[in-house]
Amino acid sequence: MQDKILDISRRRGITYPSFEIYGGIAGFYDYGPVGKRIKENIENLIREFYVIDEGFMEVECPILSPEDVWAASGHLENFADLMTECKKCGAPYRADHLIGRHIGKEVEGLGIKELEEIMEREKIRCPKCGGELDRIYSYNLMFESFVGPGRDKKTAYLRPETAQTTYLAFRRLWEIGRKRLPLGVLQIGRSFRNEISPRQGIIRLREFNQAEIQVFVDPERKDTNEFGTVSKTKVRILDKNDRESNMSLADAVEGEIIKSRLIAYHLERALRLFETMGINTRKLNLRQHTDEERAFYSTDTWDVEFRSGEFGRVELVGISDRTSYDLKAHQNLSGESMEVNLEGRRFIPHVIEIAYGIDRSLYCILESCYVEDDRGAYFKFPKRIAPYQAAVFPLVNKDGIPEKAEEVFKRLKQARIFSLYDRSGTIGRRYARADEIGTPFSITIDYDTLNDGTVTVRERDSRKQERVKIGELVNRLFLNFNF
Ligand code: GAP
């Protein structure tokens, strides 16, 4: 299946490796014309969930930021993986991954000394050439750059997460949000990590797309009035002690497995969002980070994971209680107060962060929506995710039919419906091409159209066909077809 997904992905312009004509660099992918539409649809769904439903704001900040930002946040010191290299062939390895694979046990979070001890005890060698492995060292994942010329040149870094750039403007956002908590802020944009071994296509990239929401809250109220709407939802949980269970969110909070009702609420929202995107929810579970693996800034972190047939467990979103760690850190280094005054109490807000990976979500949508049947391979995308809503075909390229088809196509364009026009090959081939990229409706203009002004609308999944009047087409696409 993976080969077929990859084949459609490259051939039809969903994603493909960047810089291909120069041999490419691992960890960089382009979104082609079809993939870009899908990515945009994912981002718009995220906006609807958080900006419309939750009433959060959206911002956009630079991707390059001065060194101070990353010194304060702790990324300069802590945002690193432990790595080793083969002394003979030079192959680089992330030490914990290499050792974990070798001994069949998770060792993420162990220090250099402990990992070196295991490496020596287990006589672990380079998997490629069998050579001896070098000492383990800490490797910072941020890309370094410079701003400005000559003596004024300043070190800067490409952001490894969008979150910090949102925190920097907290004071302004507090004013703009009329000094109320919770204050939710979404940022969608690129992040960069110089991963040691980018792999698995768009699952582990060096330049990737995040949608991160920072919910600034009163530390005494990590709660929401909406919890009742999700409390009975049953979830599959893997807790930090590796215990697996099925339970309601209410029970998970009551049993103090999930630390706050606010985190539980947002875990449910994330599950619903993935379902709306077309991700197979039977393959999703919630996983709590162990004490060793939890990021340096967090007191409780949960991932929603997708169990991929191809790549195993894929982390799609991380929801963390970052406390006041980041705001405090920026207050300390910048001298700018991050305190708020709420009903006479002065405090630095805490942050519940919801950090989505867009590229990974897109991959999991592809894997979940992939179908093969008698017509071949195609994607059963939800209409909201499909790159194009309709494909327009003239049955033949003569007798005034192409002109009529172009007129129909123009109507769809004027109604701002993303559509395709395809005039080449048999109708069967054109249906197959439209289905392959998940187009929900195919519209054929034929001789009857010239007589009675109707077109054939064929629905992708059921393949049912219906005659619809041209004048009613746009409304039918929008209303009757659950568009
Ligand atoms: N601000 C918190 C943060 O960045 P994270 O768990 O490191 O948390 C959030 O990243 C999400 O970003 C992940 O759940 C994942 O979906 C995505 N992500 C992280 N690293 C990635 C990479 N190298 N390539 C693609 N997506 C990545």
Side-chain angles (χ1 to χ4, degrees), residues 68 71-73 324-339 348:
D68 280 352
S73 70
S324 56
Y325 182 96
D326 303 277
L327 288 185
K328 234 182 222 162
H330 291 301
Q331 170 176 288
N332 290 346
L333 193 68
S334 68
E336 188 81 19
S337 168
M338 298 289 176
E339 260 188 9
I348 298 180

Side-chain angles (χ1 to χ4, degrees), residues 181-382:
L181 294 180
L183 169 72
V185 187
L186 161 70
Q187 183 168 182
I188 297 179
R190 298 256 164 169
S191 291
F192 301 79
R193 295 181 192 176
N194 202 356
E195 299 279 356
I196 296 169
S197 45
R199 62 206 140 87
Q200 305 170 324
I202 56 172
I203 299 288
R204 190 169 295 279
L205 294 164
R206 285 178 164 141
E207 175 172 351
F208 56 102
N209 296 277
Q210 291 188 310
E212 296 197 303
I213 298 121
Q214 315 303 322
V215 191
F216 299 94
V217 295
D218 182 337
E220 289 176 14
R221 196 169 186 282
K222 292 184 182 171
D223 201 350
T224 161
N225 294 336
E226 297 300 313
F227 184 67
T229 60
V230 305
S231 60
K232 292 200 179 82
T233 305
K234 289 252 185 209
V235 286
R236 189 181 307 118
I237 280 183
L238 193 62
D239 73 14
K240 64 179 184 175
N241 301 314
D242 242 6
R243 276 189 306 250
E244 212 177 328
S245 47
N246 264 306
M247 62 173 78
S248 70
L249 284 169
D251 287 343
V253 172
E254 215 137 273
E256 292 181 13
I257 299 167
I258 300 177
K259 295 275 162 51
S260 72
R261 299 209 320 178
L262 196 55
I263 288 190
Y265 171 74
H266 282 296
L267 283 167
E268 196 276 347
R269 297 307 297 150
L271 291 172
R272 286 292 76 76
L273 176 56
F274 290 135
E275 185 179 27
T276 313
M277 287 179 190
I279 292 178
N280 183 349
T281 49
R282 289 192 307 279
K283 293 191 172 180
L284 294 177
N285 64 266
L286 310 182
R287 189 178 73 82
Q288 187 175 33
H289 281 206
T290 62
D291 293 338
E292 291 77 32
E293 83 179 292
R294 210 171 38 239
F296 54 92
Y297 49 70
S298 167
T299 55
D300 190 23
T301 298
W302 287 84
D303 291 340
V304 176
E305 291 180 333
F306 177 80
R307 276 167 289 117
S308 156
E310 190 60 29
F311 300 128
R313 281 166 25 185
V314 175
E315 175 198 330
L316 288 177
V317 62
I319 302 187
S320 296
D321 185 339
R322 294 181 76 134
T323 66
S324 56
Y325 182 96
D326 303 277
L327 288 185
K328 234 182 222 162
H330 291 301
Q331 170 176 288
N332 290 346
L333 193 68
S334 68
E336 188 81 19
S337 168
M338 298 289 176
E339 260 188 9
V340 299
N341 187 339
L342 206 65
E343 293 154 6
R345 279 189 303 127
R346 296 185 70 83
F347 59 88
I348 298 180
H350 280 206
V351 171
I352 302 295
E353 181 187 49
I354 308 151
Y356 288 95
I358 291 173
D359 316 273
R360 289 184 186 181
S361 302
L362 191 143
Y363 173 76
C364 295
I365 292 171
L366 295 183
E367 198 179 300
S368 300
C369 296
Y370 180 81
V371 181
E372 269 180 51
D373 62 23
D374 56 308
R375 67 181 112 163
Y378 64 102
F379 291 108
K380 236 181 190 176
F381 292 133

Side-chain angles (χ1 to χ4, degrees), residues 1-39:
M1 170 165 107
Q2 173 61 10
D3 288 350
K4 294 197 179 145
I5 292 179
L6 264 183
D7 171 55
I8 302 180
S9 196
R10 290 180 186 195
R11 196 165 37 75
R12 298 303 307 276
I14 300 178
T15 63
Y16 38 80
S18 306
F19 326 122
E20 263 177 322
I21 63 165
Y22 290 107
I25 310 180
F28 294 88
Y29 269 73
D30 284 10
Y31 282 95
V34 170
K36 173 67 183 164
R37 295 266 344 109
I38 301 173
K39 175 171 171 281

Side-chain angles (χ1 to χ4, degrees), residues 115-149:
L115 290 175
E116 280 184 344
E117 273 167 19
I118 304 177
M119 217 158 77
E120 217 173 294
R121 192 174 66 234
E122 300 289 331
K123 301 191 172 42
I124 301 175
R125 312 279 292 189
C126 170
K128 280 204 183 121
C129 75
E132 196 185 332
L133 293 166
D134 216 333
R135 302 297 301 262
I136 294 175
Y137 66 95
S138 176
Y139 160 84
N140 196 292
L141 295 171
M142 286 195 295
F143 285 99
E144 190 177 349
S145 187
F146 302 96
V147 178

